Every structure is written in structure tokens, then in C-alpha cells.
Amino acid sequence: SQQGEEDPQALSIQEGENATMNCSYKTSINNLQWYRQNSGRGLVHLILIRSNEREKHSGRLRVTLDTSKKSSSLLITASRAADTASYFCATGTGANSKLTFGKGITLSVRP
Amino acid sequence: ETGVTQTPRHLVMGMTNKKSLKCEQHLGHNAMYWYKQSAKKPLELMFVYNFKEQTENNSVPSRFSPECPNSSHLFLHLHTLQPEDSALYLCASSQVDRGTTDTQYFGPGTRLTVL
């Protein structure tokens, strides 16, 4: 069964606005990661948050993790047209080297 | 560039052809992965190799045959594919310590079309 599910499936915002994307998962995790994919290309790692962390920042990115609710959010502040891409959350259980990915969120940032 | 290269970038093949996808990582990692990405579906893990040993085969049809001759190279041999196998095939690598899941680095993918 699918572990990570992102919400919403698609998001369209104006340049300069903030974008918030959510991810829910079902089982216990060791860490949760967010990836970005430009159309037809490979995924690029954005940020990793471990199960004992609640919040993490990287540049314009802010990730939160709530293990009691089994959910995470990715906030992109002051969005740019270049942020247009698909965003995926992935969960690692720590039991092996596998990650389980969600279907992804399509973010469109209008200039 | 992520340090993971894939060739070819695009491949069109008939159902009776035999072809191979190649992946090479220049990051010194000890684990490599093949994923299949189809439209409107989650990324599907196909195979995992840790230290050149296959540790995962997610019920992948035998028409897909992986090969990992060393920790830097990974191949996916294709034969008698079906049109529904058309997808973006992504290779990734990571450094695995004590079996934990850490950041994966992806190649640009091979866009496969089966006619």
C-alpha cells in the first residue's frame, strides 16, 4: 500500500506567494524526505527530516513533521516561477534502504 | 548534475527487441536502485542493490532483468516488453549504513517508449 500521500494534487499560485504542500503517511518512519522533479527529469533531493525532529529549514524551504499525526508539510516562501515543478514526499522506515514515494504535487507558479 | 548518469536518455523499441539501460554513479555510494515512473502513479521501486547484491525485487516481470557488475554501475536489460512498460525509468544511488534509508541521488532518467 502507498505510504506517502501528498495533498493537494495540484497547486497554482502567484509569484511571491507562499506554497504549502502536505504529506501524510501510515506507518512509523525513520525519516521523511522531500524531492522535486522538473518535467521529464530525475528527482532532486530537497530536505530530510528525521523522526526525532519537528522542524527544519533550508533557504526558502521549511519542513515540519508531526509524528503523532503522521504528517509533514513543505512550505516554500516567496515562490518564484522557477519553483514550478512536481514535489514528492518519501518515507524511510530505517529497516532497509528503501524509500516509499507518494504520487506527487504539481506546483505551478505564475509570473 | 547529481553525479548519476543514465544512457540512453530516450529509447524507442518494438516488443520483440532487446535493449539495455545503463546507469553509472560517481558518488562512491554502495546502493543503487531502479524505479519506474508512469503518469498519474507513484514512483515504483523495481530493484535494489546493496553492495552489488540484489536485496529487493518488487514483483517485477522477468522481461526486466537487472545487472550490477560493481557498485558504480547498474544495468536494466529489457526484452519482449509490452506497450504498458512505456515510462520514465529512473536510476538512483545512496550510501546505506546499517540498512538505514538516507538521501537518494537520481539520474535524469530514460524515457522508454514501447511500440
Side-chain angles (χ1 to χ4, degrees), chain A residues 2 30-31 33 35 37 40-45 48 50 88 92-99 101-103, chain B residues 9 33 35 37 40-43 45 48 50 56 58 88 90 96 99-104 106-108 111:
Chain A
Q2 187 176 324
N30 174 268
N31 65 68
Q33 305 179 34
Y35 288 79
Q37 183 181 34
R41 304 298 300 269
L43 279 70
V44 176
H45 179 259
L48 181 154
R50 300 197 186 281
F88 296 84
T93 61
N96 51 45
S97 53
K98 289 170 53 177
L99 287 177
F101 286 82
K103 291 184 181 180
Chain B
R9 295 293 310 277
Y33 312 78
Y35 289 91
Q37 187 176 35
K40 308 297 184 188
K41 293 175 72 174
L43 210 59
L45 178 65
V48 180
N50 281 359
E56 191 83 21
N58 267 0
L88 182 68
L90 293 164
V96 175
T100 57
T101 40
D102 216 320
T103 301
Q104 292 186 9
F106 284 79
R111 173 66 64 185

Side-chain angles (χ1 to χ4, degrees), chain A residues 14-52:
Chain A
Q14 199 73 34
E15 201 165 30
E17 293 179 339
N18 296 340
T20 299
M21 291 168 272
N22 303 300
C23 171
S24 60
Y25 57 92
K26 296 184 175 72
T27 63
S28 295
I29 62 170
N30 174 268
N31 65 68
L32 186 144
Q33 305 179 34
W34 285 91
Y35 288 79
R36 164 197 167 123
Q37 183 181 34
N38 287 84
S39 181
R41 304 298 300 269
L43 279 70
V44 176
H45 179 259
L46 294 176
I47 197 163
L48 181 154
I49 186 164
R50 300 197 186 281
S51 59
N52 60 354

Side-chain angles (χ1 to χ4, degrees), chain B residues 10-108:
Chain B
H10 300 271
L11 179 62
V12 179
M13 58 188 289
M15 290 190 285
T16 58
N17 291 159
K18 289 184 181 181
K19 296 287 184 183
S20 295
L21 309 185
K22 179 183 176 182
C23 176
E24 184 174 359
Q25 58 99 358
H26 310 272
L27 301 168
H29 289 161
N30 58 12
M32 296 187 76
Y33 312 78
W34 278 118
Y35 289 91
K36 175 183 178 182
Q37 187 176 35
S38 306
K40 308 297 184 188
K41 293 175 72 174
L43 210 59
E44 298 173 55
L45 178 65
M46 299 175 73
F47 301 104
V48 180
Y49 278 83
N50 281 359
F51 300 96
K52 301 186 299 176
E53 299 292 325
Q54 187 181 124
T55 59
E56 191 83 21
N57 176 340
N58 267 0
S59 303
V60 180
S62 60
R63 57 186 184 268
F64 295 91
S65 174
E67 178 190 0
C68 188
N70 55 60
S71 58
S72 299
H73 293 86
L74 186 64
F75 295 89
L76 188 63
H77 304 299
L78 317 170
H79 65 96
T80 58
L81 294 191
Q82 304 297 311
E84 60 264 30
D85 297 322
S86 298
L88 182 68
Y89 287 84
L90 293 164
C91 173
S93 72
S94 71
Q95 182 63 26
V96 175
D97 296 313
R98 296 184 300 278
T100 57
T101 40
D102 216 320
T103 301
Q104 292 186 9
Y105 294 82
F106 284 79

Side-chain angles (χ1 to χ4, degrees), chain A residues 2-17:
Chain A
Q2 187 176 324
Q3 170 73 316
E5 290 196 26
E6 297 96 342
D7 168 61
Q9 290 188 345
L11 182 60
S12 181
I13 59 173
Q14 199 73 34
E15 201 165 30
E17 293 179 339

